[in-house]
Amino acid sequence: MTHTEGMAGLARLIDQAKRAVVFTGAGISTESGIPDFRSPGGIWTQMAPIYFDDFLASEEARAETWRRRFAMEDIFRAAEPNRGHRAVDALVRRGKVSTVITQNIDGLHQASGIPDKQVIELHGNTMYATCLDCGSRYEIADLRAAFEGEGEQKGVAPVCTRCLGYVKTATVSFGQAMPPVAMRRAELETLAADLCIVLGSSLVVYPAAGFPELAKRNGAALAIVNREPTGLDSMADLVVHESIGDTLGEVVGVN
Ligand code: APR
Ligand code: ZN
């Protein structure tokens, strides 16, 4: 398919849709400077994920989890919504997209102007932390200052000052339970959609990747914009293997 055919096809699907959902992965944030996971040079090509059980079982795994997170802090802080995020926001504002179902933890969809209630974070959010036992909230900058400072907390994974529970970013790790309310909302929005647009996901992590599949099986059209082929390409109505920012930005008419 030529670039022009891809653009025309995507424009047509969006034009025909009455209620679309957008499903995003790390690929929509790479143009904001945040690396994805499975592209060449992606995070999981550099290090193995730390599973939730290991985080609970081992002080070293907790410290390594936090070392990795703080090493990414300057990248997360510098990241701004890019043209792809702005194009999704434009579709929400036009009433074309009801909800953004995201696997991303960077908060960039909300930063682009989409109201919180129209963003469903399946894998949580890394821009703050909580105590796993009492739910108290902790700010990353404060935790980083203690972890990287010269005090007794230097290099030690943070624990809750209220109940001594383990403190973790508000994200869902491999092996950790998915957020039930987010999952239920994502299911309802997916079933109500007549178009699902996938942006920047390899679609290999379930149950998240099940939502585009559910949309298609439920009769919605499925469009995938992703640089690399995905496991759902064969069931999609349209596949565009190009960069999200240029593709969706051009179709939606935003810079
Ligand atoms: N434009 C289009 N596609 C892109 C771009 C871009 N600018 N940048 C990257 N991509 C594509 C890559 O080709 C890749 O196929 O985005 C996809 C990102 O896939 P992954 O790195 O696997 O990220 P994702 O699908 O979000 O991973 C799902 O895995 O590790 C867990 O919890 C983590 O939420 C994450 C989940
Ligand atoms: Zn606590």
Side-chain angles (χ1 to χ4, degrees):
M1 180 189 309
T2 67
H3 172 77
T4 309
E5 286 165 340
M7 297 303 96
L10 189 55
R12 190 169 42 256
L13 286 174
I14 292 172
D15 191 44
Q16 289 164 352
K18 296 219 175 351
R19 185 190 174 107
V21 288
V22 166
F23 180 89
T24 61
I28 196 172
S29 295
T30 54
E31 293 171 51
S32 296
I34 300 174
D36 67 12
F37 296 95
R38 296 173 183 85
S39 286
I43 292 173
W44 299 147
T45 68
Q46 316 255 349
M47 58 188 88
I50 295 175
Y51 278 66
F52 189 52
D53 286 352
D54 294 332
F55 181 91
L56 295 177
S58 143
E59 163 66 30
E60 180 38 39
R62 288 191 293 280
E64 172 59 14
T65 301
W66 278 108
R67 232 188 315 277
R68 292 177 181 185
R69 175 59 184 83
F70 296 136
M72 283 284 291
E73 180 61 359
D74 296 342
I75 289 174
F76 278 123
R77 288 280 160 232
E80 296 283 331
N82 62 59
R83 190 179 182 195
H85 293 107
R86 288 193 292 277
V88 173
D89 176 50
L91 289 174
V92 171
R93 288 171 191 275
R94 292 176 196 170
K96 269 291 173 187
V97 167
S98 69
T99 305
V100 176
I101 301 169
T102 188
Q103 301 171 96
N104 298 343
I105 57 176
D106 54 35
L108 288 178
H109 285 303
Q110 298 93 318
S112 72
I114 300 174
D116 288 359
K117 65 182 184 342
Q118 288 181 273
V119 179
I120 299 176
E121 294 177 315
L122 296 177
H123 294 158
N125 187 297
T126 195
M127 304 317 282
Y128 65 97
T130 57
C131 167
L132 292 176
D133 291 344
C134 72
S136 299
R137 177 178 168 131
Y138 290 86
E139 299 312 321
I140 301 297
D142 299 337
L143 300 174
R144 185 183 187 187
F147 190 88
E148 295 183 348
E150 291 308 319
E152 60 185 20
Q153 290 307 311
K154 180 181 170 73
V156 176
V159 293
C160 181
T161 52
R162 292 174 184 79
C163 75
L164 297 181
Y166 297 146
V167 172
K168 182 175 178 291
T169 53
T171 57
V172 180
S173 299
F174 284 107
Q176 191 171 1
M178 294 291 282
V181 172
M183 288 296 287
R184 182 74 182 122
R185 287 186 60 216
E187 183 186 15
L188 293 172
E189 289 297 335
T190 298
L191 292 172
D194 56 2
L195 171 63
C196 176
I197 307 171
V198 173
L199 300 172
S201 181
S202 59
L203 296 173
V204 297
V205 173
Y206 284 80
F211 289 113
E213 219 171 310
L214 176 66
K216 181 63 186 165
R217 293 199 196 296
N218 188 49
L222 175 63
I224 299 174
V225 180
N226 199 66
R227 263 206 302 251
E228 306 287 321
T230 78
L232 296 190
D233 284 8
S234 57
M235 72 160 59
D237 297 271
L238 178 77
V239 178
V240 177
H241 289 153
E242 294 182 21
S243 285
I244 295 162
D246 291 343
T247 305
L248 199 66
E250 183 182 326
V251 166
V252 173
V254 299
N255 289 316

